[in-house]
Amino acid sequence: MSKAQFEKLIKDLEQFARQHPNQYKFRVKLLANVGYAYVIFLIVFLIGLSISSTYFGLFFPLQSSSSSINIFYIGFAAIPFTFATIILMSLKTYFSKPKGIEMNRSNAPKLFQFIDDLTSTLKAPKCDHLLLTAELNAGVVQLPSFLMFQENYLLLGLPLMFTLSLEQFRAVVAHELGHLSNKHSKQRSQIYLIRQTWYQVWEKLQVTSKGSTFLINIFLNWYAPFLYAYSFVLARSDEYEADRYAVEITGTKNIAEALISLEINSRYLTNHFWKDLYKRSHQQNLTPNTVYTNLLNSLSTDFSIENKLKFLDLALDSNTNYTDTHPCLSERLTNIGYDPLDQGDLIVPESSQTNAAQSLFFNSDLESYINHFNAQWQSKISVQWYAWYQESQELQMRIEHLERQTKNASLTIDKALELASLILDFKGKEEAISKFRVVLDIDPKNSEANYAIGNIFLEQGDEQGVSHMEIAMEEDYTKVVSGCEILRSFMRQTRNFKAADFYRDRGNRHYQLLLLDQEERSIIKAQDNFIPHNLANNVLKSLSNKLSDFSQMQEAYIVQKDLKYFPEKPLYVLGIVRKKILYDEYAEERDRELFHALYSDLEFIKELHIVHLNLSKWNLKRVLSRIPKSKIRLY
């Protein structure tokens, strides 16, 4: 099932669930039981096959053999029995437990009283674990414990508590506990358990007996898309119902303002705080040790109302996507009957003087939690931070080297573009504009330079960025989705809503094409159409030399796949045959090493897909070998 077909299936299921909720829930339960039934059927069938073979081996010996036991049947009986054993062992699923600071009644009495009151009001099961996390989020996780029992985890993000008033936070927790009531989480846990079981069965068979995965793949190719789609729609409908629980407990205004605040602050952290933080690695070699202190201060201190309105406007104009079970903000607000407009103007929630964290924790405890998250982040990122610092020093030396070259002669377009991009990263937008103009003087249609300078102008509110962005999207189809998003944001800020809608729809349409393009490029099979490659002789010679360096290389073929979507960006397919080694127990490991080495050495060929033409791909090898000039000469 393609991604486009999958999204259509979800849309159809959402409509069906709204129109026939009882029938939909029945189908979900039926689908879940089909998964269990197939596992049971598979085990019973394999064990039955093993017993039958053993029986024939014991009581029906071959007439030509003097032995009273048919060794062939006895040996064959071990094969299905082994597969059944692997499946049985894989049925024991493993769930990773959520991480965070384990809270207890002695160190957070106010918080536990707060949770107890909500649990009692909602008639929800009690939470076995209450974890404080460093996320701007909250959630519930329900994991299987023993027999039919389950453990409930309630995760509360400290940054979230800093952004909300006590009543807004009450609405969020009511939403999360609402998932535990009415058996929401039980249904989702059942689906998750089935998915986890199937994945582990398939993974185990891949490792221990790769050839046997057909037993699972035949069923999963049909079952998996439906299982995920039905569970996706179920989870999304649960979100709407959990929002209604929050409305009943705290009122529409509190849950709506909590949702809006969460959206605004998430965008602020992504677009400002984290970007600014990582830029400090350009000059600072020591990993910051007060990250969450600074983060929480920035969240509790109001950032500009202009930015808040911009983030809220973009969030309300965004559509629901199919990578997240949470509906978009506008749909959730509509579902609870909240209008974020006041006489045509957007309403941004006012910040409370006392946030939920200050209301529910003692100051001394709060400080210790923040210090814990500071130390945890520093420990986790320290090695990577130093690597970023080292790389930054090298790149800044590269800037100096390129700028010295400009004093003696004009740079090539590649070096001029490199210099402009580095200046943008290290010295800022204003200085980068002149450098990108140098690139455009050489090549006015250069997509990278037009995209960068267009983005700078549009962020500054300068309309001349529109033409630059249009050129970039015209020259490079991979920039259309992000370019349309940037243009949509600019048009909404300038109140040109008709143009904003145009770019939003254009970006969505192009995104669907990119999904089809990605699928077309990721799957290579014998039924595809292939055409001769158009590689220059010097590139082909270099490819031949590179492949010949690998002593295990026996044959190699290179062709082009005839593409339906975006054929202007060619996809080259390199088929290789590795020399056989008898009884090579490390064959898969050698193949992985070879592929890794090939992709590293063949970077000069863009959009390259390497295929191992082993015995199972004999048909693809035959097809590739018939394409004119496809065989690569090896020395």
Side-chain angles (χ1 to χ4, degrees):
M1 184 180 293
S2 68
K3 290 184 179 180
Q5 290 173 323
F6 176 72
E7 289 192 3
K8 183 179 184 304
L9 173 61
I10 290 180
K11 290 178 183 177
D12 293 342
L13 286 174
E14 285 180 326
Q15 184 176 359
F16 179 79
R18 285 193 296 269
Q19 295 174 349
H20 311 284
N22 292 331
Q23 290 184 43
Y24 166 73
K25 290 178 181 178
F26 174 76
R27 288 189 182 184
V28 172
K29 292 179 181 178
L30 182 63
L31 190 65
N33 290 329
V34 165
Y36 284 124
Y38 188 77
V39 173
I40 296 171
F41 165 79
L42 202 57
I43 292 172
V44 171
F45 171 76
L46 290 170
I47 292 177
L49 187 62
S50 179
I51 293 172
S52 300
S53 297
T54 303
Y55 176 81
F56 277 99
L58 292 173
F59 298 104
F60 294 91
L62 291 173
Q63 294 181 357
S64 59
S65 172
S66 59
S67 172
S68 60
I69 297 177
N70 189 331
I71 301 300
F72 172 78
Y73 280 116
I74 297 295
F76 178 78
I79 299 175
F81 182 78
T82 301
F83 293 163
T85 302
I86 293 170
I87 293 173
L88 278 169
M89 292 174 62
S90 301
L91 289 178
K92 184 178 180 181
T93 50
Y94 301 93
F95 296 88
S96 57
K97 293 184 178 181
K99 296 180 180 179
I101 301 174
E102 182 85 35
M103 308 301 293
N104 55 61
R105 293 185 180 275
S106 62
N107 63 14
K110 292 182 182 179
L111 178 61
F112 271 86
Q113 184 60 53
F114 176 85
I115 301 298
D116 289 342
D117 291 343
L118 279 174
T119 302
S120 175
T121 304
L122 285 164
K123 297 180 181 179
K126 290 187 177 181
C127 295
D128 303 293
H129 302 276
L130 179 56
L131 303 180
L132 190 67
T133 73
E135 305 298 323
L136 182 69
N137 207 348
V140 291
V141 177
Q142 198 169 37
L143 300 181
S145 176
F146 176 71
L147 296 178
M148 299 298 292
F149 297 101
Q150 292 174 317
E151 280 188 309
N152 298 324
Y153 291 79
L154 177 60
L155 283 64
L156 302 177
L158 188 59
L160 179 69
M161 298 177 72
F162 264 78
T163 64
L164 302 178
S165 68
L166 186 61
E167 283 305 305
Q168 291 168 351
F169 183 64
R170 189 189 305 276
V172 171
V173 178
H175 169 99
E176 299 304 335
L177 292 176
H179 285 305
L180 295 178
S181 64
N182 202 24
K183 300 182 180 179
H184 281 184
S185 198
K186 185 176 180 180
Q187 288 177 317
R188 281 190 289 179
S189 291
Q190 185 185 19
I191 295 288
Y192 180 43
L193 179 62
I194 296 169
R195 283 197 294 197
Q196 185 79 349
T197 299
W198 274 110
Y199 175 76
Q200 289 190 11
V201 169
W202 180 84
E203 189 179 50
K204 193 81 172 181
L205 288 172
Q206 280 281 88
V207 174
T208 57
S209 184
K210 190 172 182 179
S212 65
T213 52
F214 73 92
L215 295 167
I216 304 299
N217 289 341
I218 292 174
F219 177 69
L220 279 187
N221 285 338
W222 168 81
Y223 183 67
F226 284 97
L227 176 66
Y228 188 83
Y230 270 87
S231 60
F232 186 95
V233 174
L234 176 66
R236 182 164 287 179
S237 65
D238 285 351
E239 292 299 327
Y240 286 130
E241 192 160 353
D243 281 345
R244 289 193 287 271
Y245 279 120
V247 169
E248 291 176 10
I249 299 297
T250 66
T252 301
K253 186 171 183 286
N254 283 311
I255 183 61
E257 289 186 345
L259 292 173
I260 290 171
S261 179
L262 177 60
E263 187 70 43
I264 289 173
N265 285 290
S266 295
R267 289 174 180 259
Y268 164 73
L269 291 182
T270 301
N271 291 286
H272 292 280
F273 181 82
W274 292 114
K275 280 187 177 180
D276 293 342
L277 173 67
Y278 292 131
K279 280 185 178 179
R280 289 168 59 184
S281 66
H282 294 171
Q283 306 296 335
Q284 180 178 329
N285 64 340
L286 296 177
T287 312
N289 58 3
T290 58
V291 168
Y292 279 94
T293 301
N294 298 336
L295 184 148
L296 296 174
N297 286 337
S298 68
L299 289 175
S300 11
T301 305
D302 266 355
F303 51 95
S304 69
I305 189 68
E306 290 79 10
N307 273 334
K308 285 187 175 184
L309 288 170
K310 176 184 176 181
F311 293 149
L312 177 56
D313 180 66
L314 289 174
L316 291 171
D317 191 52
S318 298
N319 294 324
T320 296
N321 64 63
Y322 293 94
T323 59
D324 186 3
T325 56
H326 288 76
C328 66
L329 179 62
S330 60
E331 289 184 6
R332 293 183 72 175
L333 295 179
T334 300
N335 182 63
I336 60 176
Y338 183 84
D339 186 358
L341 294 174
D342 180 20
Q343 298 179 352
D345 295 325
L346 285 177
I347 307 170
V348 176
E350 294 181 3
S351 298
S352 174
Q353 291 183 349
T354 304
N355 60 52
Q358 294 167 333
S359 300
L360 296 173
F361 291 123
F362 298 115
N363 288 336
S364 57
D365 292 333
L366 198 53
E367 187 175 350
S368 68
Y369 301 146
I370 296 172
N371 289 336
H372 171 86
F373 291 132
N374 283 336
Q376 186 182 60
W377 189 90
Q378 185 184 33
S379 174
K380 180 181 177 181
I381 210 75
S382 58
V383 174
Q384 183 63 55
W385 184 276
Y386 187 71
W388 290 333
Y389 172 76
Q390 292 287 87
E391 182 183 9
S392 297
Q393 300 311 298
E394 293 173 4
L395 291 174
Q396 290 178 77
M397 290 175 64
R398 177 66 175 167
I399 291 175
E400 294 175 4
H401 173 71
L402 291 172
E403 287 186 324
R404 282 197 299 271
Q405 287 189 356
T406 60
K407 296 177 181 178
N408 300 323
S410 298
L411 297 177
T412 63
I413 188 168
D414 290 339
K415 287 186 176 181
L417 181 60
E418 181 187 1
L419 177 59
S421 301
L422 289 172
I423 291 290
L424 178 61
D425 287 339
F426 289 93
K427 296 187 178 182
K429 300 172 184 177
E430 294 301 326
E431 198 169 336
I433 290 175
S434 61
K435 302 298 182 183
F436 281 116
R437 289 198 184 281
V438 172
V439 178
L440 294 178
D441 288 341
I442 304 171
D443 178 13
K445 296 285 187 179
N446 185 278
S447 62
E448 297 293 338
N450 274 293
Y451 183 90
I453 202 170
N455 189 24
I456 293 171
F457 284 140
L458 291 170
E459 284 185 354
Q460 295 174 343
D462 191 335
E463 194 172 355
Q464 65 177 310
V466 175
S467 58
H468 286 288
M469 192 60 71
E470 286 285 2
I471 294 172
M473 295 190 296
E474 182 181 347
E475 296 298 315
D476 185 354
Y477 74 90
T478 64
K479 291 181 169 56
V480 173
V481 173
S482 59
C484 283
E485 180 62 20
I486 293 169
L487 287 165
R488 178 178 76 95
S489 175
F490 172 78
M491 294 302 174
R492 292 196 69 83
Q493 293 305 302
T494 56
R495 313 291 289 179
N496 189 345
F497 298 117
K498 184 176 181 180
D501 291 343
F502 166 77
Y503 283 115
R504 181 190 60 198
D505 295 341
R506 179 182 172 185
N508 289 339
R509 288 194 304 271
H510 194 83
Y511 173 72
Q512 296 300 322
L513 291 177
L514 286 179
L515 291 180
L516 296 171
D517 174 63
Q518 182 183 18
E519 185 176 0
E520 184 180 36
R521 290 171 185 270
S522 63
I523 301 173
I524 303 296
K525 55 185 185 297
Q527 293 76 19
D528 292 333
N529 292 325
F530 299 101
I531 57 177
H533 65 79
N534 58 356
L535 296 174
N537 288 334
N538 61 324
V539 176
L540 195 60
K541 185 176 180 180
S542 179
L543 174 62
S544 176
N545 291 334
K546 291 283 186 182
L547 294 177
S548 299
D549 289 339
F550 295 93
S551 59
Q552 67 267 49
M553 193 70 64
Q554 181 174 323
E555 291 179 78
Y557 303 87
I558 188 162
V559 298
Q560 230 181 287
K561 183 175 179 178
D562 191 12
L563 298 170
K564 178 180 179 182
Y565 302 99
F566 308 112
E568 64 271 19
K569 189 175 182 181
L571 172 66
Y572 297 97
V573 178
L574 175 65
I576 61 170
V577 179
R578 191 167 61 84
K579 293 177 182 178
K580 297 177 184 176
I581 302 175
L582 293 177
Y583 308 110
D584 186 6
E585 59 180 319
Y586 300 107
E588 289 188 17
E589 185 177 337
R590 295 181 196 278
D591 285 341
R592 282 194 296 270
E593 290 176 355
L594 177 60
F595 269 59
H596 179 74
L598 285 173
Y599 275 116
S600 299
D601 283 1
L602 303 180
E603 289 181 346
F604 56 88
I605 300 180
K606 295 181 179 179
E607 283 289 316
L608 180 66
H609 191 120
I610 303 175
V611 183
H612 189 347
L613 302 175
N614 52 22
L615 290 176
S616 64
K617 300 282 182 67
W618 64 270
N619 198 24
L620 178 59
K621 177 184 175 182
R622 181 173 59 85
V623 171
L624 297 186
S625 64
R626 290 181 175 180
I627 304 299
K629 300 180 180 179
S630 63
K631 190 164 186 177
I632 300 172
R633 186 176 179 182
L634 302 177
Y635 303 102

